């Protein structure tokens, strides 16, 4: 059972917009700790996609965006492409556990 | 460009100790304000943070693993290491070493460790 809750799967057709939620509590996201997002293509290591809730590292397309409100965060992907098919993971810090925590991951399928 | 590479046995017997080393290239492990971390991922499941070490030697561990985990650093070899004692089948996973400043910005390719007799 992951500390942060993500939907197991989402899907969308090419060109569409999808969102992936990441729900925490008052000890992690709700306490103001940053949320980071990672993209994991099949058989590869995760790659940093969004950091500090809404910032994109160099080279990440602006089709990817992040937001945070209250005890939740969201990753939005617009103009969905076949190459976006991957697992997406959110991460934050939990002050009660004094530990980095991850969501269970969400598998994005491009129909 | 920083690169990280995990190395160690791919098969460990139950109750024994899992030992992995991460070799950092393309930059000194002593430079910057980074946390050198271990993260694992059981097959088909999410990521689990194991722990991290700062260059000063201070460590922080996942509370669920704290009693069995030790992370250390060898600056002369530009490496850091993971030891996990008393392993069981539940410790079977892909183990990643990683560099982080808050998010993880560099990951190793990962190494599969299977716990089986």
């Amino acid at each position: 059972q992951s500390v942060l809750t993500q939907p197991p799967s989402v899907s969308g057709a090419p060109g569409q917009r999808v969102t992936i939620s990441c729900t925490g509590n008052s000890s992690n996201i709700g306490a103001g700790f940053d949320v980071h997002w990672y993209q994991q293509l099949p058989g590869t290591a995760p790659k940093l996609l969004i950091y500090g809730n809404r910032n994109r590292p160099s080279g990440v397309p602006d089709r990817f965006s992040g937001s945070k409100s209250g005890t939740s965060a969201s990753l939005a992907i617009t103009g969905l492409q076949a190459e976006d098919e991957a697992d997406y993971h959110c991460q934050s810090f939990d002050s009660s556990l004094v530990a980095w925590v991850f969501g269970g991951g969400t598998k994005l399928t491009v129909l | 460009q920083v690169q990280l590479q995990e190395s160690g046995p791919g098969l460990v017997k139950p109750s024994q100790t899992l030992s992995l080393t991460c070799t950092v290239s393309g930059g000194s492990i002593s430079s910057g304000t980074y946390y050198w971390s271990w993260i694992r991922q059981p097959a088909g499941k999410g990521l689990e943070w194991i722990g991290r070490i700062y260059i000063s030697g201070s460590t922080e561990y996942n509370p669920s693993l704290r009693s069995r985990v030790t992370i250390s650093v060898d600056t002369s070899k530009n490496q850091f290491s993971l030891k996990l004692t008393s392993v069981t089948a539940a410790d079977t996973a892909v183990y990643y070493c990683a560099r982080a400043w808050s998010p993880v910005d560099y990951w190793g390719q990962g190494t599969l460790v299977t716990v089986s007799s």
Side-chain angles (χ1 to χ4, degrees):
Chain A
Q1 187 89 8
S2 300
V3 175
L4 304 179
T5 301
Q6 297 180 236
S9 64
V10 297
S11 62
Q16 285 190 331
R17 178 181 186 269
V18 296
T19 61
I20 298 172
S21 61
C22 175
T23 303
N25 58 39
S26 58
S27 296
N28 40 66
I29 298 175
F33 294 105
D34 283 344
V35 177
H36 316 300
W37 291 90
Y38 303 90
Q39 178 191 59
Q40 186 175 27
L41 298 172
T44 70
K47 165 195 161 187
L48 182 61
L49 194 65
I50 297 287
Y51 67 94
N53 307 315
R54 58 177 61 249
N55 302 296
R56 286 186 307 276
S58 174
V60 173
D62 60 6
R63 300 187 296 106
F64 295 90
S65 63
S67 63
K68 175 185 153 184
S69 178
T71 58
S72 295
S74 289
L75 172 70
I77 309 172
T78 58
L80 209 54
Q81 300 180 3
E83 66 205 50
D84 299 333
E85 192 160 283
D87 292 328
Y88 293 84
H89 306 269
C90 62
Q91 180 218 339
S92 187
F93 179 80
D94 190 287
S95 57
S96 292
L97 299 172
V98 192
W100 288 346
V101 290
F102 287 93
T106 298
K107 181 176 181 57
L108 168 63
T109 300
V110 180
L111 301 170
Chain B
Q1 178 81 347
V2 173
Q3 293 185 312
L4 297 93
Q5 178 68 58
E6 306 88 353
S7 59
L11 181 64
V12 181
K13 289 182 167 52
S15 80
Q16 294 193 340
T17 296
L18 180 160
S19 296
L20 295 175
T21 296
C22 182
T23 301
V24 180
S25 59
S28 171
I29 202 170
S30 301
S31 67
T33 54
Y34 300 112
Y35 295 102
W36 302 95
S37 309
W38 289 95
I39 295 163
R40 70 181 183 179
Q41 185 175 32
K45 296 188 178 181
L47 300 165
E48 180 180 31
W49 176 67
I50 298 171
R52 65 187 186 186
I53 188 165
Y54 194 60
I55 200 54
S56 64
S58 65
T59 53
E60 293 174 321
Y61 301 125
N62 187 322
S64 68
L65 299 170
R66 185 176 291 133
S67 63
R68 299 193 292 131
V69 174
T70 302
I71 296 176
S72 58
V73 64
D74 187 337
T75 55
S76 67
K77 294 182 179 179
N78 228 34
Q79 294 176 334
F80 62 105
S81 299
L82 168 71
K83 289 190 186 301
L84 181 66
T85 62
S86 305
V87 297
T88 69
D91 295 311
T92 294
V94 174
Y95 285 74
Y96 295 101
C97 62
R99 188 188 86 167
W101 45 275
S102 173
V104 175
D105 58 353
Y106 287 100
W107 298 73
Q109 65 182 26
T111 187
L112 174 63
V113 178
T114 302
V115 178
S116 175
S117 55

